[in-house]
Amino acid sequence: MKLKLIIPAGLLLLGGLSACSSDPAAPATQPAGNQQQAADAPAQTSGQPSEEADDKEEPLTGETKEKAEKAALAKFPGTVKKSEHDVENPGLYAVEIEQDAGGEIEVYLDKDFTVVKTKKEDGTEDGD
């Protein structure tokens, strides 16, 4: 004669739940609501320039700094105030100069140290 084991469905369900929740070493799972909140959260950085872009522009150093400043000063004599990798114009170097003739100008150079445009302190831009 064969024995049949009959296990009530409620016990199976409770057994499954207790196995998942009673093991302290089991990895914690995040409730579905929190997963949706995480998916809806805005990205930390958008890749777009912000008002804080000046703080994030990396200063030029070494030979790159020397060449960029020399090229900018050759066209616009004066005193270099700062030189950096430009965030608003990726791939360009920016050299800010207080001109001997008066006023300030920001000179933008490409990777070959060719002046490609300028921006005067009043915000007007010139393509070169």
Side-chain angles (χ1 to χ4, degrees):
M1 165 160 45
K2 292 184 180 180
L3 282 177
K4 289 186 179 181
L5 288 176
I6 300 175
I7 302 173
L11 288 177
L12 285 175
L13 180 60
L14 288 176
L17 288 176
S18 64
C20 291
S21 62
S22 66
D23 183 6
T29 58
Q30 192 174 29
N34 288 345
Q35 289 173 350
Q36 183 61 38
Q37 288 173 348
D40 292 341
Q44 294 296 322
T45 58
S46 64
Q48 298 295 321
S50 68
E51 292 178 16
E52 299 173 7
D54 289 337
D55 297 337
K56 297 182 190 235
E57 290 179 328
E58 182 182 334
L60 297 180
T61 59
E63 188 177 347
T64 302
K65 175 183 172 82
E66 290 173 23
K67 287 182 176 183
E69 290 179 358
K70 182 178 179 181
L73 289 170
K75 284 203 158 197
F76 303 95
T79 304
V80 173
K81 294 180 74 178
K82 66 180 177 178
S83 54
E84 58 205 4
H85 294 272
D86 195 59
V87 171
E88 293 173 5
N89 301 287
L92 295 183
Y93 305 127
V95 179
E96 188 175 319
I97 298 173
E98 187 171 325
Q99 294 181 279
D100 289 343
E104 292 180 12
I105 191 165
E106 191 152 4
V107 182
Y108 299 93
L109 304 106
D110 63 16
K111 297 292 182 188
D112 296 322
F113 305 102
T114 301
V115 175
V116 294
K117 69 179 186 173
T118 60
K119 181 168 69 173
K120 296 181 181 177
E121 74 177 309
D122 64 4
T124 59
E125 288 189 24
D126 278 335
D128 217 47

